[in-house]
Amino acid sequence: MKTIIEPFRIKSVEPIRMTTRVEREALIRKAHYNLFALYSDDVIIDLLTDSGTGAMSAAQWAAVMGGDESYAGSPSYYRFRDAVQALMPFKHIIPTHQGRAAEAILFETFGGAGRMIPSNTHFDTTRGNIESSGALAHDLVIEEGKNPQSEHPFKGNMDLEKLADYLETHGDAVPCVMLTITNNAGGGQPVSLENIKGVAALAKQHNKPFFIDGCRFAENAWFIKQREAGQANRSIPDIVRGCFAEADGMTMSAKKDAFGNIGGWLALNDDGFAETARNALIRTEGFPTYGGLAGRDLDALAQGLTEIVDEDYLRYRIRTNEYIIERLSALGVPVVKPAGGHAVFIDARAWLSHISPTEYPGQALAVALYEIAGIRSCEIGTVMFGRHPDGSEHPAAMDLVRLAIPRRTYTQSHADYIVEAFEELADRKDDLKGFQISWEPKLMRHFTCKFAHLAPN
Ligand code: F0G
């Protein structure tokens, strides 16, 4: 059979509240055109994020009942730890309530004024944690990774020449090297095993610890299996272990590739740093055997980690994105190619070329998608990355709109509805207007800033 079906049946459903276009126009105006400010029951299809929004399996819900809520030494922690170590062979596994808490603890040690931290592309919370420590965050993704039309199979790769130069030039100012797999901010594009090894070798040569932001490790491993020479016959868990064996530690948001609604961890090998990290954890998150999570959450994650590496799941997961991308391309909508792991990215700068980057074409597209179809997406462009620590504003490398696909949550008819919204939009896109920001906070402005329509000229 050629049709790749959802490899699950639905046992429990959540109703979607339908709204009209007139209602949505009023709702988004009231939200100051920031989609984060909408009430989620005013959204028909929520593609704001794939984080914590997935459907848990029957086996995960069963595991929830087995959660042990002891403050210290809960068997739930040991089941969680063993499930993590079965895939990521690190010595110390420190649970946190989500990924950014692991980052905050990491950069409490590795951040600080005068320091500089390279990655392929730092995710916004990673950048926020680095910058709020006083350090600088730099993105060294390969050139192909900035070109939405490039069909390079591993557009998330780090530019190894740039990294070598960076490490030579900045030497002591660099406390560690990071790598995000898959590269979320760059389109959910994967990093090859060869590139992971290359980054590890450079870090080692310069005596710097190497940390992987592993949020979407299973999707990344699927792409390695499909696209990298010599990897086709390896199992997904084996590829995953191969990736993490190269690193000295990792940060993780278990809200992605662990099928959790909440959770994360910091993992590492160094005993001294583990002690510092656990002390920070006790102060900020909780005792090291629960770290801000309930025992039941830890059990749900332990089970989720066994499900995320299933090849039938991963095949369906990536196929969903390919299906939407094929249909949008046929409509002439410029999409980031090839399909990424967790989302479909629209090149809003190219599609709405009449709106300049400083008038936020991505925001204009995201607002229009909501008004037309009740679809909530997320701008990943100049709104998110345009403001710099020195206060200046520049266009981001790309102005993308991300349609993040929650795991095991929507069906193919939802995908068809998304495509239909773009069909509607294609006829009217040239009438869309840009935005200005009427209020913004100091850091990570996209979450809370307010927008106003540009005055007609
Ligand atoms: N790193 C990456 C690559 C991420 O995508 C995220 C979250 C984090 C770290 C932080 O993890 O949310 O558990 O604190 N990404 C979500 C998103 C929010 O929508 O892409 P967290």
Side-chain angles (χ1 to χ4, degrees):
M1 294 297 294
K2 286 199 281 301
T3 308
I4 296 170
I5 60 169
E6 287 87 355
F8 47 81
R9 297 181 297 187
I10 296 169
K11 181 176 272 187
S12 180
V13 296
E14 224 183 331
I16 292 176
R17 192 177 83 78
M18 304 307 278
T19 48
T20 66
R21 172 147 190 190
V22 173
E23 284 168 341
R24 292 190 293 269
E25 283 173 357
L27 290 162
I28 192 71
R29 192 179 328 116
K30 201 166 141 229
H32 300 279
Y33 300 99
N34 188 331
L35 292 116
F36 284 96
L38 289 170
Y39 288 12
S40 62
D41 54 0
D42 292 332
V43 173
I44 294 178
I45 296 195
D46 205 344
L47 309 181
L48 184 66
T49 179
D50 63 317
S51 181
T53 51
M56 292 217 295
S57 66
Q60 282 183 287
W61 284 111
V64 161
M65 286 309 292
D68 179 312
E69 304 305 339
S70 305
Y71 188 93
S74 163
S76 299
Y77 168 72
Y78 295 103
R79 285 191 285 267
F80 160 80
R81 184 201 61 185
D82 292 350
V84 175
Q85 285 176 332
L87 291 170
M88 291 110 179
F90 295 114
K91 190 166 170 198
H92 303 281
I93 311 295
I94 300 174
T96 59
H97 81 277
Q98 59 183 86
R100 65 198 71 185
E103 293 164 4
I105 292 172
L106 181 66
F107 296 116
E108 213 173 279
T109 297
F110 288 96
R115 291 182 154 177
M116 303 169 65
I117 299 163
S119 184
N120 48 352
T121 313
H122 292 282
F123 183 65
D124 58 354
T125 58
T126 322
R127 176 173 286 277
N129 273 301
I130 291 173
E131 288 176 353
S132 67
S133 81
L136 296 173
H138 291 118
D139 298 335
L140 306 179
V141 72
I142 56 170
E143 283 307 310
E144 290 89 334
K146 298 179 210 160
N147 172 3
Q149 295 315 312
S150 159
E151 296 264 5
H152 190 291
F154 291 102
K155 287 168 78 173
N157 281 356
M158 180 91 87
D159 187 323
L160 295 177
E161 263 176 46
K162 280 194 191 147
L163 179 63
D165 263 11
Y166 188 95
L167 289 166
E168 286 291 329
T169 315
H170 303 298
D172 289 346
V174 184
C176 62
V177 174
M178 295 252 352
L179 188 69
T180 313
I181 67 170
T182 57
N183 189 21
N184 180 4
Q189 298 292 326
V191 179
S192 69
L193 183 54
E194 189 189 9
N195 192 256
I196 294 174
K197 288 185 173 162
V199 173
L202 279 170
K204 196 173 201 151
Q205 187 188 326
H206 290 263
N207 220 2
K208 311 288 183 197
F210 168 37
F211 291 97
I212 294 179
D213 173 342
C215 292
R216 298 177 180 84
F217 70 86
E219 291 165 6
N220 201 80
W222 175 257
F223 286 120
I224 287 176
K225 186 176 165 85
Q226 301 305 308
R227 298 180 185 170
E228 190 160 348
Q231 302 296 322
N233 294 325
R234 292 177 75 183
S235 73
I236 296 292
D238 189 36
I239 295 174
V240 171
R241 280 189 289 270
C243 294
F244 288 99
E246 297 294 324
D248 299 296
M250 70 180 293
T251 56
M252 176 73 190
S253 169
K255 302 169 75 172
K256 284 81 167 176
D257 275 359
F259 280 132
N261 296 129
I262 196 71
W265 65 84
L266 173 64
L268 39 104
N269 287 328
D270 184 86
D271 296 335
F273 175 43
E275 191 184 328
T276 311
R278 285 203 174 96
N279 286 336
L281 186 84
I282 291 172
R283 180 163 45 78
T284 57
E285 292 278 289
F287 191 73
T289 58
Y290 74 87
L293 292 169
R296 66 179 78 98
D297 299 324
L298 292 166
D299 267 306
L301 297 179
Q303 174 60 28
L305 282 171
T306 69
E307 296 175 9
I308 202 83
V309 290
D310 177 70
E311 292 195 13
D312 290 331
Y313 161 73
L314 287 167
R315 182 177 297 109
Y316 133 82
R317 168 86 176 144
I318 305 305
R319 179 60 201 150
T320 304
N321 300 343
E322 286 168 356
Y323 174 77
I324 297 172
I325 281 182
E326 282 163 14
R327 295 208 45 207
L328 291 183
S329 296
L331 287 175
V333 180
V335 288
V336 174
K337 289 181 181 166
H342 65 299
V344 170
F345 289 75
I346 315 298
D347 183 353
R349 188 179 290 176
W351 207 39
L352 305 184
S353 54
H354 61 290
I355 302 177
S356 80
T358 49
E359 296 175 354
Y360 314 126
Q363 192 64 22
L365 177 54
V367 168
L369 268 179
Y370 177 71
E371 289 176 342
I372 286 177
I375 295 168
R376 176 155 69 168
S377 56
C378 184
E379 193 263 14
I380 301 210
T382 305
V383 176
M384 191 179 275
F385 299 118
R387 177 70 72 207
H388 294 262
D390 65 4
S392 62
E393 173 149 1
H394 312 286
M398 298 187 268
D399 276 296
L400 304 178
V401 167
R402 183 181 77 168
L403 310 175
I405 313 295
R407 293 171 181 75
R408 304 190 292 208
T409 302
Y410 293 113
T411 65
Q412 184 166 352
S413 86
H414 295 113
D416 291 334
Y417 178 92
I418 296 164
V419 173
E420 189 185 332
F422 277 90
E423 260 164 29
E424 280 279 306
L425 203 53
D427 293 335
R428 285 182 287 127
K429 71 177 179 72
D430 295 334
D431 301 332
L432 296 183
K433 301 258 177 320
F435 282 97
Q436 61 193 27
I437 292 180
S438 54
W439 178 86
E440 66 183 90
K442 280 210 178 76
L443 269 180
M444 292 191 271
R445 65 178 179 181
H446 55 286
F447 290 120
T448 54
C449 70
K450 296 179 181 175
F451 297 90
H453 270 299
L454 283 172
N457 44 26

